[in-house]
């Protein structure tokens, strides 16, 4: 496969994304080039952030071309042995199904359960399996570009992140608190290795839900105030100006403002920066005026109203949310000189109960016997919620004890909209809500103390979503006008409720690729069987960003999958599976990492005196743009293996293994856009699979085989 040219991609993007056009002023502003003075992040003068409500990535973009959606070639396995799509409501399996605007009330779907208890139960500590049981049937529904043309066009005009996760496996307040401060639990306790309770953490919505009118007679708050600094506090201390554009009496009773959980906001006095910029009325008209007058703060947050928030059952619709986003874009682009120096981040606080198939890159879970299912190269103490009295867990959720990972949770959409991120890119680096804070740190030289070392290791800072050096050679389609959202909602109300079909629908994802940003991952997993019949896995990270490896034991899918956090430049090698004692030597492990990274280990450990399995290792040859396999035997036996190229319709390459020594085999990836998927097959069920993308530091394309037929 030849690497497509950028011109080819621009032509493809323009053909798929142009639905209708925004007003001419917006088209003109979108065409204005980035202001390039240093060719670095320092060229960004304004960062504007909008967090909408309660949509998962698969729900919005599982059918979009070139992202990790319903055409994912490596879905995790369920305990049933079926792929993750086959979720059960306890009586029947419900696979993802289409919220079709032509046959059902797709615009105004019901909200689904999205509290800590049902999120923990549906996630099932990484096992999944019963999403609609705990989240209702609507959780499995999704849209196509027909239902959400604005959202598709915005993603295809700029950059969409398909590995951006909410930070906490629960609802709105905890995620917005983490978004605005770097953590939803006490960072001082975490630093001491103490797991937080609900006294010093936020498992469910509480502290942001205010009563009363602002400023008179004022808000009445629930719950104790958190005392660690918010991001606005950090910006104030550093002399960086900021503002929250909101109606303090129409921000869903405070829920949109995660800062209301904090003492600095609750005690803010008139005349203070917090009171003026974080608690007062600032409208979209004020935003537009600040843009037009060149007085837009360095950092701005925009809060939606309940009806414009896109929250299912809000009642809000993607059309209404798209219209609100359009108004924000109109304000931001009303002064081309300002827009040329602006980054606009648009994401969602959490997924509601809406299904997403990617396993969350969380800290390891605890087994029900109190042992940890996985390990990390850094201290995990303090990274868990201590629900000592099981006050927040579903009574049916007994897979683990009372100590549960805070997160991260499911994927949510993240659009990176700016003159430096145009052109229809996908970015597949792992991010979460702390990533926006890390971007602010990178730009302004500040430090947000509540962001944990674990989050810094695993979640990127979003800079990989931008081309600061050469931003002005991209093209993009126009965005459709969503000002007719009320008409769309009114028509949708005339149609039947969006119920799940009685039989599973075939999975669908648009075929084709999109340009994909270079990622900081160089990951390795090595396996070997020791003389006592134990299978050892070594996880090695020679890249520039930490990663979480998920290990699913296909012979024991009743178990919680193990998760291993490996920081950049480190390795883990002290864990094993005692396969000779438990499975008569048989084993079948699947290891998942970021952006389609997969390693599998299948075979049978030899008994004493039996022929050993082949020894197989893989080295990434970055300068040569290829893979180097080394194959041999741990003993004086010859043999043969076959290398199967799964990207090329199973093309086979047989290899003879010598009685002693090794065979080195180089495979070039120059014709596959750096993607690879090889299975090495040997005797007695021996199998190793290696799949992923070789990262060379240069941009590439998404997985060329990801997608399904209609």
């Amino acid at each position: 496969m030849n690497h497509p040219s950028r011109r080819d991609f621009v032509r493809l993007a323009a053909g798929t994304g142009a639905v209708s056009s925004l007003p001419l002023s917006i088209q003109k502003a979108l065409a204005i080039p980035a202001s390039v003075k240093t060719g670095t992040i320092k060229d960004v003068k304004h960062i504007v952030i909008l967090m909408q409500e309660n949509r998962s990535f698969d729900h919005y973009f599982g059918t979009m071309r070139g992202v990790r959606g319903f055409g994912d070639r490596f879905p995790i396995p369920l305990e049933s042995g079926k792929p993750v799509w086959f979720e059960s409501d306890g009586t029947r399996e419900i696979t993802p199904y289409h919220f079709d605007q032509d046959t059902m009330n797709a615009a105004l779907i019901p909200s689904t359960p999205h509290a800590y208890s049902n999120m923990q139960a549906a996630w099932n500590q990484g096992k999944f399996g019963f999403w609609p049981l705990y989240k209702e049937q609507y959780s499995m529904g999704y849209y196509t570009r027909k239902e959400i043309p604005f959202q598709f066009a915005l993603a295809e005009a700029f950059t969409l992140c398909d590995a951006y996760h909410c930070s906490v496996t629960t609802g709105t307040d905890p995620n917005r608190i983490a978004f605005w401060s770097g953590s939803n639990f006490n960072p001082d306790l975490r630093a001491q290795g103490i797991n937080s309770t609900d006294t010093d953490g936020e498992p469910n919505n509480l502290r942001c839900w205010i009563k009363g009118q602002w400023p008179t007679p004022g808000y009445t708050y629930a719950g104790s105030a958190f005392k660690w600094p918010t991001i606005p506090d950090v910006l104030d201390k550093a002399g960086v100006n900021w503002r929250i554009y909101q109606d303090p009496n129409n921000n869903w009773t405070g829920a949109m403002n995660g800062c209301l959980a904090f003492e600095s906001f609750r005690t803010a006095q008139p005349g203070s920066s917090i009171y003026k910029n974080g608690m007062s009325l600032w409208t979209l008209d004020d935003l537009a005026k600040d843009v037009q007058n060149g007085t837009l703060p360095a950092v701005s947050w925009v809060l939606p109203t309940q009806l414009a928030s896109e929250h299912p059952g809000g009642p809000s619709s993607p059309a209404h949310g798209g219209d609100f986003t359009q108004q924000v874009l109109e304000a931001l682009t009303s002064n081309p000189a300002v827009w040329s120096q602006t980054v606009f981040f648009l994401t969602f606080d959490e997924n509601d109960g809406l299904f997403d198939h990617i396993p969350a890159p969380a800290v390891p879970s605890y087994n029900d016997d109190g042992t940890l299912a996985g390990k990390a190269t850094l201290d995990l103490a303090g990274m868990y919620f201590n629900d000592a009295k099981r006050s927040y867990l579903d009574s049916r959720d007994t897979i683990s004890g009372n100590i549960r990972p805070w997160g991260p949770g499911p994927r949510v959409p993240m659009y990176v909209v700016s003159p430096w991120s145009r052109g229809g890119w996908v970015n597949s680096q792992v991010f979460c809500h702390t990533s926006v804070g890390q971007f602010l740190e990178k730009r302004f030289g500040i430090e947000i103390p509540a962001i944990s070392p674990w989050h810094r290791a695993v979640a990127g800072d979003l800079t990989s979503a931008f081309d600061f050096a050469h931003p002005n050679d991209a093209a993009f389609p126009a965005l459709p006008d969503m000002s007719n959202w009320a008409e769309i909602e009114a028509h949708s109300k005339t149609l039947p409720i969006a119920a799940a079909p009685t039989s599973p629908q075939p999975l669908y994802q648009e075929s084709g690729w999109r340009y994909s940003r270079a990622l900081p991952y160089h990951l390795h997993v090595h396996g070997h069987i020791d003389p006592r019949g134990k299978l050892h896995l070594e996880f090695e990270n020679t890249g520039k960003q930490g990663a979480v490896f998920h290990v699913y034991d296909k012979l024991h899918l009743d178990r919680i999958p193990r998760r291993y956090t490996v920081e950049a430049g480190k390795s883990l090698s002290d864990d094993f599976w005692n396969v000779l004692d438990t499975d008569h030597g048989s084993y079948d492990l699947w290891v998942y990492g970021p952006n389609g990274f997969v390693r599998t280990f299948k075979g049978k450990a030899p008994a004493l005196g039996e022929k050993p399995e082949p020894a197989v290792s893989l080295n990434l040859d970055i300068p040569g743009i290829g893979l180097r396999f080394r194959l041999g035997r741990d003993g004086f036996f010859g043999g043969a293996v076959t290398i199967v190229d799964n990207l090329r319709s199973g093309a086979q390459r047989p290899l003879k293994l010598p009685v002693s020594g090794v065979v080195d085999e180089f495979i070039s990836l120059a014709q596959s856009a750096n993607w690879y998927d090889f299975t090495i097959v040997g005797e007695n069920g021996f199998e190793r699979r290696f799949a992923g993308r070789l990262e060379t530091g240069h941009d590439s394309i998404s997985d060329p085989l990801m997608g399904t037929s209609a």
Side-chain angles (χ1 to χ4, degrees), residues 579-650:
V579 298
L580 201 57
D581 286 352
T582 58
D583 293 289
H584 307 289
S586 296
Y587 60 91
D588 190 359
L589 303 180
W590 282 62
V591 183
Y592 296 80
N595 195 30
F597 176 95
V598 169
R599 300 289 188 267
T600 73
F601 301 84
K602 183 178 181 180
K604 186 167 184 175
L608 186 64
E610 292 183 342
K611 180 188 292 188
E613 293 185 317
V616 179
S617 64
L618 171 64
N619 292 315
L620 307 177
D621 187 342
I622 297 170
I625 312 180
L627 306 178
R628 293 192 178 274
F629 288 103
R630 171 164 283 201
L631 305 99
R633 282 203 182 275
D634 294 328
F636 299 100
F637 297 90
V641 297
T642 300
I643 301 179
V644 181
D645 189 342
N646 302 303
L647 289 184
R648 290 181 172 85
S649 302

Side-chain angles (χ1 to χ4, degrees), residues 156-173:
E156 291 175 329
F158 295 97
T159 295
L160 182 66
C161 299
D162 70 349
Y164 186 103
H165 294 254
C166 63
S167 288
V168 194
T169 310
T170 179
T172 289
D173 276 14

Side-chain angles (χ1 to χ4, degrees), residues 56-113:
S56 78
F57 187 89
D58 275 346
H59 165 66
Y60 261 14
F61 294 116
T63 65
M64 175 179 270
R65 168 185 52 84
V67 302
R68 197 153 297 278
F70 297 135
D72 193 342
R73 296 187 298 116
F74 300 106
I76 62 171
L78 299 176
E79 185 172 351
S80 65
K82 296 181 179 180
V84 69
W85 319 114
F86 290 84
E87 300 290 315
S88 174
D89 68 356
T91 58
R92 64 176 178 133
E93 291 174 338
I94 301 178
T95 58
Y97 66 94
H98 182 198
F99 283 143
D100 190 339
Q101 68 177 21
D102 296 331
T103 62
M104 60 182 68
N105 184 1
L108 295 167
I109 61 171
S111 182
T112 52

Side-chain angles (χ1 to χ4, degrees), residues 3-4 27 133 145 205 216 221 224 263 283 289 294 374 388 408 513 536 540 621 641 666-667 669 698:
H3 193 297
Q27 295 182 49
L133 173 64
R145 66 172 64 243
N205 292 347
T216 304
Y221 300 98
S224 59
E263 185 175 73
T283 67
K289 290 176 183 176
W513 48 266
H536 296 259
E540 185 181 9
D621 187 342
V641 297
F666 174 78
I667 299 178
L669 302 180
H698 300 288

Side-chain angles (χ1 to χ4, degrees), residues 386-421:
N386 182 3
D387 183 15
K389 298 180 180 179
R390 289 190 64 91
S391 304
Y392 294 92
L393 291 171
D394 190 293
S395 60
R396 297 166 291 180
D397 179 8
T398 58
I399 188 173
S400 183
N402 301 339
I403 307 299
R404 300 293 181 96
W406 281 112
R411 291 185 302 170
V412 294
M414 162 58 95
Y415 316 78
V416 181
V417 183
S418 81
W420 298 277
S421 56

Side-chain angles (χ1 to χ4, degrees), residues 437-522:
Q438 292 184 65
F439 186 85
L440 297 177
E441 290 182 324
K442 192 84 170 182
R443 171 57 187 87
F444 298 111
I446 59 176
E447 181 182 355
I448 301 168
I451 300 177
S452 76
W454 185 92
H455 285 90
R456 293 186 185 281
V458 171
D461 61 14
L462 286 164
T463 54
S464 64
F466 299 87
D467 182 356
F468 292 117
H470 306 98
N472 293 324
D473 60 351
F476 43 85
L479 301 178
D481 186 352
M482 299 308 300
S483 59
N484 64 332
W485 62 268
E487 178 183 341
I488 293 173
E489 289 187 0
H491 173 70
S492 191
K493 290 178 182 178
T494 67
L495 299 175
I497 194 168
T502 55
S503 59
Q505 291 181 352
L507 287 173
Y508 168 70
Q509 182 178 358
E510 300 167 343
S511 61
W513 48 266
R514 60 197 291 132
Y515 261 99
S516 173
R517 289 296 187 192
L519 302 180
Y521 300 119
H522 294 150

